[in-house]
Amino acid sequence: MKINKKELEKNNIELTIELSVEELKPFLKNTAKKLSIKTKIPGFRKGKAPYETIKNIIGEMNIYQEALNNIINKTYYEVIQKEMLEVVGQPEIKVEKLAPDNPLVYI
């Protein structure tokens, strides 16, 4: 995970967080498994279909979009702890890059 910290005015900080494709895989597989429980996939019991089959039926971008919230929740708080930041209020999060086989970048 790459972290770029930028000091702004009025005690604000902008964090740019980039996660590699390898770091995203566990989140994507977990999300795909949850989606496969909710979706009927021919030839498989609920929650037992392989990732590639789920990806082909549901769509890879749908898996990414479903996983995005979990990814941001987990990594944002990890960065806050790692950088020893004191946070007041909710962050304003902007996704810069979200595409299959590319790193995820958010600010």
PDB file of all heavy atoms in Angstrom, residues 7-36:
ATOM      1  N   GLU A   7      -0.092  18.031   3.381  1.00  0.00           N
ATOM      2  CA  GLU A   7      -0.646  18.984   4.349  1.00  0.00           C
ATOM      3  C   GLU A   7      -1.414  20.067   3.589  1.00  0.00           C
ATOM      4  O   GLU A   7      -0.913  20.648   2.640  1.00  0.00           O
ATOM      5  CB  GLU A   7       0.479  19.636   5.159  1.00  0.00           C
ATOM      6  CG  GLU A   7       1.320  18.665   5.956  1.00  0.00           C
ATOM      7  CD  GLU A   7       0.672  18.189   7.242  1.00  0.00           C
ATOM      8  OE1 GLU A   7      -0.209  18.903   7.770  1.00  0.00           O
ATOM      9  OE2 GLU A   7       1.036  17.100   7.699  1.00  0.00           O
ATOM     10  N   LEU A   8      -2.632  20.345   4.041  1.00  0.00           N
ATOM     11  CA  LEU A   8      -3.454  21.396   3.461  1.00  0.00           C
ATOM     12  C   LEU A   8      -3.669  22.486   4.503  1.00  0.00           C
ATOM     13  O   LEU A   8      -3.221  22.373   5.638  1.00  0.00           O
ATOM     14  CB  LEU A   8      -4.802  20.834   2.994  1.00  0.00           C
ATOM     15  CG  LEU A   8      -4.764  19.710   1.969  1.00  0.00           C
ATOM     16  CD1 LEU A   8      -6.157  19.184   1.714  1.00  0.00           C
ATOM     17  CD2 LEU A   8      -4.131  20.178   0.672  1.00  0.00           C
ATOM     18  N   GLU A   9      -4.384  23.530   4.118  1.00  0.00           N
ATOM     19  CA  GLU A   9      -4.651  24.622   5.050  1.00  0.00           C
ATOM     20  C   GLU A   9      -5.680  24.212   6.105  1.00  0.00           C
ATOM     21  O   GLU A   9      -6.390  23.224   5.932  1.00  0.00           O
ATOM     22  CB  GLU A   9      -5.129  25.856   4.286  1.00  0.00           C
ATOM     23  CG  GLU A   9      -6.355  25.573   3.442  1.00  0.00           C
ATOM     24  CD  GLU A   9      -6.627  26.637   2.403  1.00  0.00           C
ATOM     25  OE1 GLU A   9      -5.680  27.120   1.766  1.00  0.00           O
ATOM     26  OE2 GLU A   9      -7.813  26.960   2.233  1.00  0.00           O
ATOM     27  N   LYS A  10      -5.738  24.959   7.186  1.00  0.00           N
ATOM     28  CA  LYS A  10      -6.689  24.749   8.289  1.00  0.00           C
ATOM     29  C   LYS A  10      -6.601  23.350   8.887  1.00  0.00           C
ATOM     30  O   LYS A  10      -7.618  22.703   9.157  1.00  0.00           O
ATOM     31  CB  LYS A  10      -8.121  25.032   7.835  1.00  0.00           C
ATOM     32  CG  LYS A  10      -8.353  26.454   7.405  1.00  0.00           C
ATOM     33  CD  LYS A  10      -9.797  26.667   7.039  1.00  0.00           C
ATOM     34  CE  LYS A  10     -10.003  28.099   6.550  1.00  0.00           C
ATOM     35  NZ  LYS A  10     -11.373  28.339   6.127  1.00  0.00           N
ATOM     36  N   ASN A  11      -5.388  22.859   9.091  1.00  0.00           N
ATOM     37  CA  ASN A  11      -5.147  21.552   9.716  1.00  0.00           C
ATOM     38  C   ASN A  11      -5.783  20.379   8.969  1.00  0.00           C
ATOM     39  O   ASN A  11      -6.109  19.362   9.566  1.00  0.00           O
ATOM     40  CB  ASN A  11      -5.600  21.544  11.174  1.00  0.00           C
ATOM     41  CG  ASN A  11      -4.735  22.419  12.041  1.00  0.00           C
ATOM     42  OD1 ASN A  11      -3.538  22.562  11.784  1.00  0.00           O
ATOM     43  ND2 ASN A  11      -5.329  23.018  13.057  1.00  0.00           N
ATOM     44  N   ASN A  12      -5.991  20.514   7.688  1.00  0.00           N
ATOM     45  CA  ASN A  12      -6.506  19.420   6.872  1.00  0.00           C
ATOM     46  C   ASN A  12      -5.346  18.667   6.240  1.00  0.00           C
ATOM     47  O   ASN A  12      -4.293  19.242   5.966  1.00  0.00           O
ATOM     48  CB  ASN A  12      -7.430  19.946   5.771  1.00  0.00           C
ATOM     49  CG  ASN A  12      -8.762  20.393   6.316  1.00  0.00           C
ATOM     50  OD1 ASN A  12      -9.291  19.806   7.240  1.00  0.00           O
ATOM     51  ND2 ASN A  12      -9.311  21.443   5.728  1.00  0.00           N
ATOM     52  N   ILE A  13      -5.565  17.387   6.001  1.00  0.00           N
ATOM     53  CA  ILE A  13      -4.559  16.546   5.359  1.00  0.00           C
ATOM     54  C   ILE A  13      -5.229  15.781   4.227  1.00  0.00           C
ATOM     55  O   ILE A  13      -6.349  15.292   4.373  1.00  0.00           O
ATOM     56  CB  ILE A  13      -3.952  15.540   6.364  1.00  0.00           C
ATOM     57  CG1 ILE A  13      -3.198  16.290   7.457  1.00  0.00           C
ATOM     58  CG2 ILE A  13      -3.030  14.557   5.665  1.00  0.00           C
ATOM     59  CD1 ILE A  13      -2.686  15.401   8.563  1.00  0.00           C
ATOM     60  N   GLU A  14      -4.528  15.696   3.104  1.00  0.00           N
ATOM     61  CA  GLU A  14      -5.008  14.899   1.986  1.00  0.00           C
ATOM     62  C   GLU A  14      -4.143  13.650   1.900  1.00  0.00           C
ATOM     63  O   GLU A  14      -2.926  13.732   1.785  1.00  0.00           O
ATOM     64  CB  GLU A  14      -4.908  15.690   0.681  1.00  0.00           C
ATOM     65  CG  GLU A  14      -5.395  14.913  -0.526  1.00  0.00           C
ATOM     66  CD  GLU A  14      -5.301  15.727  -1.795  1.00  0.00           C
ATOM     67  OE1 GLU A  14      -6.183  16.562  -2.026  1.00  0.00           O
ATOM     68  OE2 GLU A  14      -4.314  15.523  -2.532  1.00  0.00           O
ATOM     69  N   LEU A  15      -4.790  12.507   1.989  1.00  0.00           N
ATOM     70  CA  LEU A  15      -4.093  11.230   1.870  1.00  0.00           C
ATOM     71  C   LEU A  15      -4.461  10.597   0.530  1.00  0.00           C
ATOM     72  O   LEU A  15      -5.641  10.451   0.220  1.00  0.00           O
ATOM     73  CB  LEU A  15      -4.519  10.278   2.997  1.00  0.00           C
ATOM     74  CG  LEU A  15      -4.174  10.683   4.412  1.00  0.00           C
ATOM     75  CD1 LEU A  15      -4.878   9.769   5.401  1.00  0.00           C
ATOM     76  CD2 LEU A  15      -2.678  10.645   4.625  1.00  0.00           C
ATOM     77  N   THR A  16      -3.451  10.251  -0.236  1.00  0.00           N
ATOM     78  CA  THR A  16      -3.679   9.495  -1.465  1.00  0.00           C
ATOM     79  C   THR A  16      -3.213   8.077  -1.179  1.00  0.00           C
ATOM     80  O   THR A  16      -2.048   7.848  -0.870  1.00  0.00           O
ATOM     81  CB  THR A  16      -2.895  10.102  -2.644  1.00  0.00           C
ATOM     82  OG1 THR A  16      -3.291  11.471  -2.800  1.00  0.00           O
ATOM     83  CG2 THR A  16      -3.191   9.348  -3.929  1.00  0.00           C
ATOM     84  N   ILE A  17      -4.129   7.137  -1.281  1.00  0.00           N
ATOM     85  CA  ILE A  17      -3.846   5.743  -0.930  1.00  0.00           C
ATOM     86  C   ILE A  17      -3.979   4.896  -2.186  1.00  0.00           C
ATOM     87  O   ILE A  17      -4.984   4.970  -2.893  1.00  0.00           O
ATOM     88  CB  ILE A  17      -4.808   5.263   0.164  1.00  0.00           C
ATOM     89  CG1 ILE A  17      -4.661   6.174   1.397  1.00  0.00           C
ATOM     90  CG2 ILE A  17      -4.558   3.807   0.511  1.00  0.00           C
ATOM     91  CD1 ILE A  17      -5.725   6.017   2.432  1.00  0.00           C
ATOM     92  N   GLU A  18      -2.947   4.103  -2.440  1.00  0.00           N
ATOM     93  CA  GLU A  18      -2.936   3.225  -3.615  1.00  0.00           C
ATOM     94  C   GLU A  18      -2.728   1.792  -3.158  1.00  0.00           C
ATOM     95  O   GLU A  18      -1.792   1.493  -2.425  1.00  0.00           O
ATOM     96  CB  GLU A  18      -1.825   3.632  -4.572  1.00  0.00           C
ATOM     97  CG  GLU A  18      -1.755   2.766  -5.803  1.00  0.00           C
ATOM     98  CD  GLU A  18      -0.684   3.213  -6.780  1.00  0.00           C
ATOM     99  OE1 GLU A  18      -0.365   4.415  -6.830  1.00  0.00           O
ATOM    100  OE2 GLU A  18      -0.166   2.335  -7.495  1.00  0.00           O
ATOM    101  N   LEU A  19      -3.610   0.913  -3.592  1.00  0.00           N
ATOM    102  CA  LEU A  19      -3.502  -0.506  -3.288  1.00  0.00           C
ATOM    103  C   LEU A  19      -3.209  -1.266  -4.561  1.00  0.00           C
ATOM    104  O   LEU A  19      -3.852  -1.044  -5.584  1.00  0.00           O
ATOM    105  CB  LEU A  19      -4.804  -1.034  -2.680  1.00  0.00           C
ATOM    106  CG  LEU A  19      -5.035  -0.688  -1.228  1.00  0.00           C
ATOM    107  CD1 LEU A  19      -5.737   0.630  -1.115  1.00  0.00           C
ATOM    108  CD2 LEU A  19      -5.810  -1.765  -0.565  1.00  0.00           C
ATOM    109  N   SER A  20      -2.252  -2.167  -4.488  1.00  0.00           N
ATOM    110  CA  SER A  20      -1.875  -2.956  -5.658  1.00  0.00           C
ATOM    111  C   SER A  20      -2.940  -4.008  -5.961  1.00  0.00           C
ATOM    112  O   SER A  20      -3.813  -4.296  -5.133  1.00  0.00           O
ATOM    113  CB  SER A  20      -0.533  -3.642  -5.420  1.00  0.00           C
ATOM    114  OG  SER A  20      -0.677  -4.657  -4.443  1.00  0.00           O
ATOM    115  N   VAL A  21      -2.829  -4.598  -7.123  1.00  0.00           N
ATOM    116  CA  VAL A  21      -3.762  -5.645  -7.542  1.00  0.00           C
ATOM    117  C   VAL A  21      -3.704  -6.813  -6.561  1.00  0.00           C
ATOM    118  O   VAL A  21      -4.740  -7.382  -6.197  1.00  0.00           O
ATOM    119  CB  VAL A  21      -3.443  -6.114  -8.983  1.00  0.00           C
ATOM    120  CG1 VAL A  21      -4.318  -7.276  -9.384  1.00  0.00           C
ATOM    121  CG2 VAL A  21      -3.595  -4.957  -9.960  1.00  0.00           C
ATOM    122  N   GLU A  22      -2.509  -7.159  -6.098  1.00  0.00           N
ATOM    123  CA  GLU A  22      -2.343  -8.256  -5.146  1.00  0.00           C
ATOM    124  C   GLU A  22      -3.030  -7.963  -3.816  1.00  0.00           C
ATOM    125  O   GLU A  22      -3.589  -8.858  -3.195  1.00  0.00           O
ATOM    126  CB  GLU A  22      -0.858  -8.559  -4.917  1.00  0.00           C
ATOM    127  CG  GLU A  22      -0.175  -9.225  -6.092  1.00  0.00           C
ATOM    128  CD  GLU A  22      -0.813 -10.550  -6.467  1.00  0.00           C
ATOM    129  OE1 GLU A  22      -1.093 -11.374  -5.561  1.00  0.00           O
ATOM    130  OE2 GLU A  22      -1.049 -10.765  -7.672  1.00  0.00           O
ATOM    131  N   GLU A  23      -2.978  -6.719  -3.375  1.00  0.00           N
ATOM    132  CA  GLU A  23      -3.630  -6.335  -2.124  1.00  0.00           C
ATOM    133  C   GLU A  23      -5.150  -6.352  -2.245  1.00  0.00           C
ATOM    134  O   GLU A  23      -5.854  -6.541  -1.256  1.00  0.00           O
ATOM    135  CB  GLU A  23      -3.166  -4.938  -1.686  1.00  0.00           C
ATOM    136  CG  GLU A  23      -1.720  -4.893  -1.247  1.00  0.00           C
ATOM    137  CD  GLU A  23      -1.204  -3.491  -1.041  1.00  0.00           C
ATOM    138  OE1 GLU A  23      -1.474  -2.608  -1.896  1.00  0.00           O
ATOM    139  OE2 GLU A  23      -0.520  -3.279  -0.020  1.00  0.00           O
ATOM    140  N   LEU A  24      -5.663  -6.166  -3.450  1.00  0.00           N
ATOM    141  CA  LEU A  24      -7.103  -6.165  -3.676  1.00  0.00           C
ATOM    142  C   LEU A  24      -7.703  -7.564  -3.759  1.00  0.00           C
ATOM    143  O   LEU A  24      -8.879  -7.760  -3.457  1.00  0.00           O
ATOM    144  CB  LEU A  24      -7.432  -5.416  -4.974  1.00  0.00           C
ATOM    145  CG  LEU A  24      -7.147  -3.925  -5.005  1.00  0.00           C
ATOM    146  CD1 LEU A  24      -7.412  -3.373  -6.392  1.00  0.00           C
ATOM    147  CD2 LEU A  24      -7.978  -3.199  -3.976  1.00  0.00           C
ATOM    148  N   LYS A  25      -6.908  -8.546  -4.161  1.00  0.00           N
ATOM    149  CA  LYS A  25      -7.432  -9.898  -4.412  1.00  0.00           C
ATOM    150  C   LYS A  25      -8.223 -10.497  -3.256  1.00  0.00           C
ATOM    151  O   LYS A  25      -9.308 -11.037  -3.476  1.00  0.00           O
ATOM    152  CB  LYS A  25      -6.297 -10.829  -4.840  1.00  0.00           C
ATOM    153  CG  LYS A  25      -5.922 -10.656  -6.283  1.00  0.00           C
ATOM    154  CD  LYS A  25      -4.883 -11.651  -6.720  1.00  0.00           C
ATOM    155  CE  LYS A  25      -4.507 -11.394  -8.170  1.00  0.00           C
ATOM    156  NZ  LYS A  25      -3.486 -12.324  -8.641  1.00  0.00           N
ATOM    157  N   PRO A  26      -7.736 -10.436  -2.001  1.00  0.00           N
ATOM    158  CA  PRO A  26      -8.534 -11.032  -0.912  1.00  0.00           C
ATOM    159  C   PRO A  26      -9.908 -10.367  -0.756  1.00  0.00           C
ATOM    160  O   PRO A  26     -10.908 -11.047  -0.507  1.00  0.00           O
ATOM    161  CB  PRO A  26      -7.690 -10.807   0.341  1.00  0.00           C
ATOM    162  CG  PRO A  26      -6.325 -10.496  -0.136  1.00  0.00           C
ATOM    163  CD  PRO A  26      -6.449  -9.964  -1.518  1.00  0.00           C
ATOM    164  N   PHE A  27      -9.979  -9.045  -0.932  1.00  0.00           N
ATOM    165  CA  PHE A  27     -11.245  -8.340  -0.837  1.00  0.00           C
ATOM    166  C   PHE A  27     -12.188  -8.780  -1.955  1.00  0.00           C
ATOM    167  O   PHE A  27     -13.381  -8.989  -1.729  1.00  0.00           O
ATOM    168  CB  PHE A  27     -11.033  -6.819  -0.931  1.00  0.00           C
ATOM    169  CG  PHE A  27     -10.329  -6.220   0.247  1.00  0.00           C
ATOM    170  CD1 PHE A  27      -8.999  -5.873   0.172  1.00  0.00           C
ATOM    171  CD2 PHE A  27     -11.007  -5.995   1.438  1.00  0.00           C
ATOM    172  CE1 PHE A  27      -8.339  -5.310   1.247  1.00  0.00           C
ATOM    173  CE2 PHE A  27     -10.365  -5.429   2.521  1.00  0.00           C
ATOM    174  CZ  PHE A  27      -9.027  -5.087   2.433  1.00  0.00           C
ATOM    175  N   LEU A  28     -11.648  -8.906  -3.169  1.00  0.00           N
ATOM    176  CA  LEU A  28     -12.464  -9.286  -4.315  1.00  0.00           C
ATOM    177  C   LEU A  28     -12.995 -10.709  -4.178  1.00  0.00           C
ATOM    178  O   LEU A  28     -14.172 -10.973  -4.467  1.00  0.00           O
ATOM    179  CB  LEU A  28     -11.660  -9.129  -5.608  1.00  0.00           C
ATOM    180  CG  LEU A  28     -11.204  -7.707  -5.937  1.00  0.00           C
ATOM    181  CD1 LEU A  28     -10.305  -7.707  -7.155  1.00  0.00           C
ATOM    182  CD2 LEU A  28     -12.382  -6.781  -6.123  1.00  0.00           C
ATOM    183  N   LYS A  29     -12.149 -11.618  -3.737  1.00  0.00           N
ATOM    184  CA  LYS A  29     -12.583 -13.017  -3.576  1.00  0.00           C
ATOM    185  C   LYS A  29     -13.645 -13.136  -2.497  1.00  0.00           C
ATOM    186  O   LYS A  29     -14.618 -13.873  -2.652  1.00  0.00           O
ATOM    187  CB  LYS A  29     -11.386 -13.903  -3.282  1.00  0.00           C
ATOM    188  CG  LYS A  29     -10.513 -14.092  -4.498  1.00  0.00           C
ATOM    189  CD  LYS A  29      -9.420 -15.087  -4.280  1.00  0.00           C
ATOM    190  CE  LYS A  29      -8.603 -15.142  -5.556  1.00  0.00           C
ATOM    191  NZ  LYS A  29      -7.986 -16.391  -5.795  1.00  0.00           N
ATOM    192  N   ASN A  30     -13.468 -12.411  -1.400  1.00  0.00           N
ATOM    193  CA  ASN A  30     -14.450 -12.428  -0.320  1.00  0.00           C
ATOM    194  C   ASN A  30     -15.786 -11.859  -0.796  1.00  0.00           C
ATOM    195  O   ASN A  30     -16.849 -12.412  -0.511  1.00  0.00           O
ATOM    196  CB  ASN A  30     -13.912 -11.643   0.885  1.00  0.00           C
ATOM    197  CG  ASN A  30     -14.754 -11.827   2.114  1.00  0.00           C
ATOM    198  OD1 ASN A  30     -15.458 -12.805   2.262  1.00  0.00           O
ATOM    199  ND2 ASN A  30     -14.686 -10.859   3.006  1.00  0.00           N
ATOM    200  N   THR A  31     -15.738 -10.764  -1.526  1.00  0.00           N
ATOM    201  CA  THR A  31     -16.959 -10.147  -2.048  1.00  0.00           C
ATOM    202  C   THR A  31     -17.635 -11.060  -3.065  1.00  0.00           C
ATOM    203  O   THR A  31     -18.858 -11.205  -3.060  1.00  0.00           O
ATOM    204  CB  THR A  31     -16.644  -8.781  -2.688  1.00  0.00           C
ATOM    205  OG1 THR A  31     -16.070  -7.938  -1.689  1.00  0.00           O
ATOM    206  CG2 THR A  31     -17.891  -8.130  -3.251  1.00  0.00           C
ATOM    207  N   ALA A  32     -16.849 -11.685  -3.936  1.00  0.00           N
ATOM    208  CA  ALA A  32     -17.414 -12.598  -4.933  1.00  0.00           C
ATOM    209  C   ALA A  32     -18.118 -13.764  -4.253  1.00  0.00           C
ATOM    210  O   ALA A  32     -19.203 -14.177  -4.679  1.00  0.00           O
ATOM    211  CB  ALA A  32     -16.312 -13.104  -5.862  1.00  0.00           C
ATOM    212  N   LYS A  33     -17.528 -14.256  -3.179  1.00  0.00           N
ATOM    213  CA  LYS A  33     -18.152 -15.365  -2.451  1.00  0.00           C
ATOM    214  C   LYS A  33     -19.484 -14.922  -1.853  1.00  0.00           C
ATOM    215  O   LYS A  33     -20.477 -15.639  -1.928  1.00  0.00           O
ATOM    216  CB  LYS A  33     -17.215 -15.863  -1.352  1.00  0.00           C
ATOM    217  CG  LYS A  33     -17.721 -17.081  -0.661  1.00  0.00           C
ATOM    218  CD  LYS A  33     -16.690 -17.675   0.255  1.00  0.00           C
ATOM    219  CE  LYS A  33     -17.250 -18.966   0.825  1.00  0.00           C
ATOM    220  NZ  LYS A  33     -16.228 -19.875   1.229  1.00  0.00           N
ATOM    221  N   LYS A  34     -19.523 -13.712  -1.281  1.00  0.00           N
ATOM    222  CA  LYS A  34     -20.775 -13.195  -0.718  1.00  0.00           C
ATOM    223  C   LYS A  34     -21.830 -13.012  -1.812  1.00  0.00           C
ATOM    224  O   LYS A  34     -23.003 -13.311  -1.605  1.00  0.00           O
ATOM    225  CB  LYS A  34     -20.529 -11.869  -0.005  1.00  0.00           C
ATOM    226  CG  LYS A  34     -19.808 -12.024   1.306  1.00  0.00           C
ATOM    227  CD  LYS A  34     -19.556 -10.683   1.965  1.00  0.00           C
ATOM    228  CE  LYS A  34     -18.751 -10.858   3.236  1.00  0.00           C
ATOM    229  NZ  LYS A  34     -18.402  -9.573   3.860  1.00  0.00           N
ATOM    230  N   LEU A  35     -21.392 -12.518  -2.974  1.00  0.00           N
ATOM    231  CA  LEU A  35     -22.332 -12.338  -4.084  1.00  0.00           C
ATOM    232  C   LEU A  35     -22.842 -13.675  -4.608  1.00  0.00           C
ATOM    233  O   LEU A  35     -23.990 -13.784  -5.023  1.00  0.00           O
ATOM    234  CB  LEU A  35     -21.674 -11.545  -5.216  1.00  0.00           C
ATOM    235  CG  LEU A  35     -21.439 -10.062  -4.947  1.00  0.00           C
ATOM    236  CD1 LEU A  35     -20.607  -9.445  -6.065  1.00  0.00           C
ATOM    237  CD2 LEU A  35     -22.749  -9.313  -4.788  1.00  0.00           C
ATOM    238  N   SER A  36     -21.981 -14.699  -4.580  1.00  0.00           N
ATOM    239  CA  SER A  36     -22.402 -16.007  -5.085  1.00  0.00           C
ATOM    240  C   SER A  36     -23.423 -16.658  -4.160  1.00  0.00           C
ATOM    241  O   SER A  36     -24.187 -17.516  -4.596  1.00  0.00           O
ATOM    242  CB  SER A  36     -21.195 -16.925  -5.285  1.00  0.00           C
ATOM    243  OG  SER A  36     -20.691 -17.381  -4.054  1.00  0.00           O
TER     244      SER A  36
END
